[in-house]
Amino acid sequence: MPKSWSDDAAVPVVRQDHAHLKDSLNYKIKKFFLGIPLNRHSLESQRLSKKNAFGVLSSDCISSSAYGGEQILVALIPAFGLAAFTIFPPMIGVIIVILVAITLLYKDVISTYTRSGSAYIVSRDNFGRVVSQIAAVELMFGYIITVAIQSAAGVAAIISTFPELNPAKVQLTIVIVLILTYVNLRGVKEAGLIFVIPSYLFMGTMLIVFIFGIYRYFSDTLPSYDQNVEGLVPIGQAQGLLSVAAILLLLKAFANGSASLTGIEAISDSVPLFKNPEHRNATKVLILMSLTLGILIIGIAWLAKETQSIPYADGTPTVISLVAKAALGGGFFGDSLFVLTQLGTMLILFAGANTCFSAFPNMVNMVASDGFLPRRLTQRGHKLVFSNGVFFIAGVASLLVIVTQASITILAAIYALSVFIGFALTGAGMTKKSLRSQGANRRRKIFLHSLSTALATFTVVVLSLVKFTEGTWVVVIGTPLVVILMLKFNNQYTREQNALSVKREQERATSIARHDVTVLVDNVDIATVGAIRYARSLNPHHLIAVHFVIDDRRAEGIQKAWAASDALDDVTLELIDCPDRRLANAALDYAIRMTEKPDVELTLLLPRRAYSGFLGRLLHDQTAEQIASPISQLARVVATIVPFDVERIASGQAVMEPAKVVHKVVNQSKDKKTPPENFEPVSHYAENVTPIGQIQWRKRARIHGRVTSIKTAPRGAAPSLEVEIWDATGGVSLQFLGRRDIAGLEVGSQMRAEGMVGEEEGEMIILNPSYELLV
């Protein structure tokens, strides 16, 4: 064929898009609900600024202040009566001390593990695979339960304002989980923008509550609630604090209150979601989040003490709604602020649940990448989120809501234990790392990390013992079972990887002396002819067609049709008896017999006729797949299915062809190329960037586009590199001779290049251009 202008070849053209598959119904539905899919190269734009990260990731931690203090009172008041309000402040003080210690711990974690500092990463780095899986399981438990408890608490805030909705509490909670799932499937950034407002609304309304409460306290107008109201938790009698029973009750109250500190780890688990520099931005958000949480815990606890806010047995109205009502007072203005406060509380709790939809998929992605969870969890979806992780957490959280009937008290105990096991493992890992290090502040870090570990471990023991029958048994018993399962996953992945790894003796592929091709025939039609045509292109040593006889009359008809076909007159047809009608066994026996000699490789071609969906499966069998499966177990035998779309032809549609593109050639009077009369002076600079679709043969061009493919010459050939770049108007190849790579060049990179436009096999190329990689 003519290849250059001297041979009267056609005008060279730039590369153009070809035909694409028609969108399936499933994809159309996904696109309708989730919007246009995001390009993977826009992943950087999905990262969060500090403002948005605070709204997305801090809401889990901050929102726990809405129910943490209440859970302490739920345990104290039945045991100590109204004296519980005297014990309440010191216990809040203990919670604040632990908050400071855990915050400083995670600050060091983020500065040490600058890419991602979850308990899983810290445990993997310092303790190995088994301990790291314990950390991974606790993180998974914690995040799943967070979705359940925060959604249930948000619904409780709604019911506190509209009590008539109480019978539908479980159903409302499930609806909230589904809404959060949908929002997060639309992308991390969109979810963040939606939940930034609730975080700031909650903090703003609580600040107003505190200001009103302080004013009413000093003006002696802050009311106290009546203790003789129906529906309150039972009010016990005051007792000493030094008895064994009293100490156990205090420990139970402390265990309940530890739920106030859940969510601190979300920042370190989600460092990759921050904009650069990730670890610095994450540290700032962590400190701001902990400071906000401390203020909220202290403020709500103080108002609860001063107003004698006793929790209700069924959880509604909530303590936070009681203190808000007492501080804001009545009247139109007070009622309006109360409704706004309840709205902020509800939304922050839902935003807290939303945090896990960001952190959980990233965490399980890391675990799955290490081979301890199914690799499906590493796949990004329509909007670049780990969609399978989102579905996983939503499904299990919904199940928990149904099983526990959306009980905050039950969920809080399981939640706190999972989180504090993670705190303890993180602290222990950082302590071990500090002991090995020789850097500055080594002693301070060892003391801080050891203190955090001790406090977290003490909390774990308390939760495990005093709350075992109330739900923590799920974590105590379930953790080792899930860890064993994850280790089995890893062993299976490792075994498969070892089986597929290339051994040194296998690095140099040996040549097979003889390659035979057999086409399995069930009919003489255009699909069979197409398979034979493809078989010839393989240049086999021996080409034969085989029909396994299960019906003598059918075999006779095939034999006659084969003999009458001009397209098949050079291919031998062999009929092989298959008396038991087990085609897969017959094909297996045939393949073994044909490859008895060690230097023979056999390819079996199986024409597969693709019919319409349901009707096609009803009217036709799937014999090709049934044969190919056992054949794949043989050495030196390859089963290749050759598809043929019957439905497209039957419906009158043409076979898909590349899209026809009309190319306009500038300054050319004929379709054929002519030798240029004058060449432009060689230059390494062109003033303007030319759209790729408008570049001209034998003219200099300066182009700008995205790298879509990189092709490197094999090691045994002369060094060369071919880079294909595209813009909205077309694509062109850049060829670099004498090199195998370009530092910093990746598929998806933005690139600007300049050089003389040539041609190769009818397509334009630019040989050894000057280039610039763009960030």
Side-chain angles (χ1 to χ4, degrees):
M1 61 177 292
K3 293 186 177 180
S4 69
W5 58 267
S6 58
D7 299 321
D8 291 335
V11 176
V13 296
V14 298
R15 300 187 177 187
Q16 296 290 337
D17 269 334
H18 294 147
H20 295 283
L21 292 175
K22 184 180 179 181
D23 289 346
S24 64
L25 177 62
N26 178 50
Y27 185 82
K28 289 178 179 178
I29 294 173
K30 185 189 297 186
K31 191 174 179 181
F32 175 79
F33 284 104
L34 302 182
I36 298 174
L38 293 178
N39 189 300
R40 68 181 183 88
H41 304 300
S42 64
L43 185 60
E44 185 69 24
S45 67
Q46 291 295 296
R47 291 176 179 259
L48 303 174
S49 64
K50 292 192 291 291
K51 180 183 69 176
N52 289 347
F54 184 77
V56 177
L57 303 175
S58 300
S59 50
D60 175 18
C61 179
I62 292 172
S63 61
S64 61
S65 64
Y67 54 82
E70 177 176 350
Q71 293 305 310
I72 295 177
L73 292 175
V74 166
L76 287 179
I77 290 176
F80 300 99
L82 296 181
F85 288 107
T86 304
I87 306 170
F88 192 34
M91 191 158 289
I92 290 295
V94 174
I95 298 294
I96 294 299
V97 170
I98 297 177
L99 169 63
V100 173
I102 298 298
T103 300
L104 294 176
L105 167 65
Y106 275 95
K107 177 177 177 294
D108 284 349
V109 169
I110 293 172
S111 62
T112 303
Y113 297 91
T114 56
R115 297 298 299 175
S116 182
S118 67
Y120 172 72
I121 298 295
V122 177
S123 300
R124 185 186 66 183
D125 187 39
N126 294 283
F127 297 119
R129 65 196 291 262
V130 176
V131 177
S132 68
Q133 298 322 300
I134 296 175
V137 170
E138 303 313 327
L139 286 170
M140 287 192 290
F141 280 173
Y143 284 131
I144 291 169
I145 298 167
T146 298
V147 173
I149 192 173
Q150 300 278 42
S151 300
V155 170
I158 298 175
I159 295 173
S160 296
T161 309
F162 306 101
E164 60 273 14
L165 295 176
N166 190 57
K169 179 169 67 173
V170 174
Q171 293 87 336
L172 287 173
T173 306
I174 296 295
V175 169
I176 295 301
V177 173
L178 294 177
I179 291 173
L180 293 175
T181 303
Y182 171 70
V183 169
N184 281 274
L185 288 175
R186 290 189 62 89
V188 171
K189 192 170 183 179
E190 288 195 35
L193 294 175
I194 291 173
F195 289 104
V196 164
I197 296 175
S199 299
Y200 293 110
L201 176 62
F202 175 72
M203 288 183 288
T205 53
M206 289 311 300
L207 179 62
I208 294 173
V209 169
F210 295 159
I211 292 173
F212 273 67
I214 293 171
Y215 171 77
R216 292 170 70 88
Y217 173 78
F218 283 107
S219 62
D220 292 328
T221 57
L222 186 65
S224 293
Y225 284 102
D226 184 6
Q227 288 84 42
N228 298 316
V229 178
E230 185 179 355
L232 299 177
V233 296
I235 301 175
Q237 298 297 320
Q239 58 175 300
L241 301 179
L242 298 180
S243 65
V244 174
I247 292 174
L248 288 176
L249 291 169
L250 289 173
L251 290 176
K252 183 176 181 180
F254 168 74
N256 281 7
S258 61
S260 299
L261 303 180
T262 52
I264 299 176
E265 75 288 349
I267 300 296
S268 67
D269 291 345
S270 306
V271 174
L273 294 178
F274 284 82
K275 289 184 176 180
N276 289 321
E278 295 102 328
H279 68 285
R280 292 181 182 176
N281 290 333
T283 300
K284 293 176 182 177
V285 172
L286 172 68
I287 294 172
L288 179 60
M289 176 188 73
S290 298
L291 180 62
T292 305
L293 175 62
I295 294 172
L296 289 170
I297 291 174
I298 294 171
I300 294 171
W302 174 73
L303 282 173
K305 174 182 177 297
E306 296 301 327
T307 59
Q308 301 283 290
S309 299
I310 300 175
Y312 280 73
D314 65 354
T316 55
T318 59
V319 167
I320 192 172
S321 69
L322 293 174
V323 300
K325 188 68 175 176
L328 296 172
F332 176 78
F333 184 68
D335 290 343
S336 299
L337 286 177
F338 173 73
V339 171
L340 186 63
T341 301
Q342 287 301 97
L343 177 64
T345 304
M346 175 195 71
L347 293 177
I348 188 67
L349 288 164
F350 294 156
N354 177 73
T355 298
C356 301
F357 281 96
S358 300
F360 178 86
N362 281 282
M363 191 275 296
V364 295
N365 167 57
M366 291 186 291
V367 180
S369 297
D370 289 340
F372 293 96
L373 286 174
R375 291 277 165 79
R376 289 176 178 271
L377 294 171
T378 65
Q379 298 171 357
R380 293 188 183 271
H382 198 73
K383 289 287 189 175
L384 296 180
V385 297
F386 298 107
S387 302
N388 291 328
V390 172
F391 286 123
F392 185 96
I393 190 173
V396 181
S398 299
L399 183 63
L400 269 176
V401 169
I402 295 171
V403 171
T404 63
Q405 291 296 292
S407 170
I408 298 174
T409 302
I410 296 174
L411 290 169
I414 309 173
Y415 180 26
L417 178 57
S418 299
V419 171
F420 272 89
I421 290 175
F423 289 167
L425 291 176
T426 302
M430 292 301 293
T431 302
K432 183 177 180 180
K433 192 172 187 67
S434 299
L435 288 170
R436 295 199 308 259
S437 68
Q438 299 296 327
N441 301 320
R442 178 173 178 268
R443 291 184 178 180
R444 181 192 67 81
K445 290 183 178 180
I446 292 174
F447 171 76
L448 172 63
H449 299 159
S450 300
L451 176 63
S452 302
T453 304
L455 292 173
T457 303
F458 170 75
T459 308
V460 168
V461 173
V462 171
L463 283 164
S464 301
L465 295 177
V466 303
K467 306 287 285 186
F468 184 83
T469 58
E470 298 180 27
T472 58
W473 64 268
V474 174
V475 178
V476 175
I477 297 174
T479 296
L481 297 178
V482 179
V483 167
I484 291 172
L485 181 63
M486 292 170 68
L487 292 175
K488 285 188 174 294
F489 285 159
N490 184 251
N491 291 337
Q492 178 67 14
Y493 276 128
T494 302
R495 190 168 66 87
E496 293 170 356
Q497 187 174 0
N498 290 337
L500 293 172
S501 61
V502 180
K503 308 297 187 295
R504 180 170 293 276
E505 61 272 15
Q506 299 171 330
E507 286 185 351
R508 193 69 181 176
T510 56
S511 299
I512 298 295
R514 174 176 159 184
H515 177 214
D516 294 339
V517 176
T518 298
V519 181
L520 301 187
V521 176
D522 186 48
N523 205 343
V524 179
D525 56 15
I526 193 170
T528 301
V529 173
I532 293 293
R533 184 171 63 242
Y534 173 65
R536 291 191 185 103
S537 70
L538 299 177
N539 296 320
H541 181 270
H542 189 54
L543 172 60
I544 190 172
V546 169
H547 172 70
F548 295 109
V549 180
I550 57 177
D551 184 320
D552 291 327
R553 289 188 177 181
R554 180 178 178 85
E556 183 180 353
I558 290 174
Q559 193 172 27
K560 290 180 179 179
W562 195 274
S565 175
D566 293 334
L568 307 172
D569 58 2
D570 61 335
V571 179
T572 301
L573 174 66
E574 180 179 358
L575 304 180
I576 298 178
D577 190 21
C578 184
D580 59 359
R581 298 172 303 284
R582 299 171 66 187
L583 293 176
N585 279 2
L588 193 67
D589 291 340
Y590 174 82
I592 293 173
R593 189 169 67 252
M594 292 296 102
T595 55
E596 288 179 346
K597 295 182 179 179
D599 61 343
V600 175
E601 183 176 73
L602 175 66
T603 295
L604 289 179
L605 297 185
L606 296 90
R608 184 184 65 183
R609 299 151 184 87
Y611 301 93
S612 60
F614 172 76
L615 193 60
R617 288 191 295 271
L618 180 66
L619 300 178
H620 305 278
D621 58 24
Q622 303 293 320
T623 308
E625 286 79 0
Q626 297 170 7
I627 294 175
S629 180
I631 292 296
S632 64
Q633 303 173 21
L634 299 178
R636 296 179 286 110
V637 180
V638 177
T640 302
I641 295 177
V642 184
F644 191 83
D645 194 341
V646 177
E647 176 62 21
R648 178 174 289 273
I649 295 179
S651 61
Q653 301 179 35
V655 178
M656 184 180 295
E657 296 287 349
K660 294 182 179 180
V661 181
V662 178
H663 300 283
K664 182 179 179 181
V665 182
V666 183
N667 294 331
Q668 295 284 345
S669 58
K670 299 180 180 180
D671 288 340
K672 295 187 293 184
K673 293 180 249 177
T674 55
E677 297 180 0
N678 297 303
F679 290 92
E680 289 188 1
V682 176
S683 168
H684 290 284
Y685 180 77
E687 184 66 31
N688 298 314
V689 172
T690 305
I692 293 177
Q694 297 179 16
I695 62 175
Q696 300 177 45
W697 176 54
R698 292 203 172 235
K699 300 281 187 179
R700 293 198 65 80
R702 190 171 188 236
I703 58 174
H704 179 182
R706 184 182 297 279
V707 176
T708 60
S709 74
I710 302 173
K711 183 164 62 177
T712 307
R715 188 172 62 180
S720 68
L721 181 70
E722 184 174 333
V723 179
E724 188 173 316
I725 71 171
W726 285 71
D727 65 10
T729 63
V732 68
S733 289
L734 312 178
Q735 293 190 0
F736 299 89
L737 303 181
R739 63 194 307 174
R740 297 186 186 278
D741 58 36
I742 294 175
L745 180 66
E746 299 176 348
V747 173
S749 302
Q750 292 283 344
M751 189 177 193
R752 186 171 293 158
E754 181 185 351
M756 186 69 71
V757 180
E759 65 89 21
E760 182 178 51
E761 296 185 354
E763 291 186 338
M764 293 187 185
I765 64 166
I766 301 178
L767 187 64
N768 287 331
S770 58
Y771 66 89
E772 178 184 3
L773 297 180
L774 306 176
V775 179

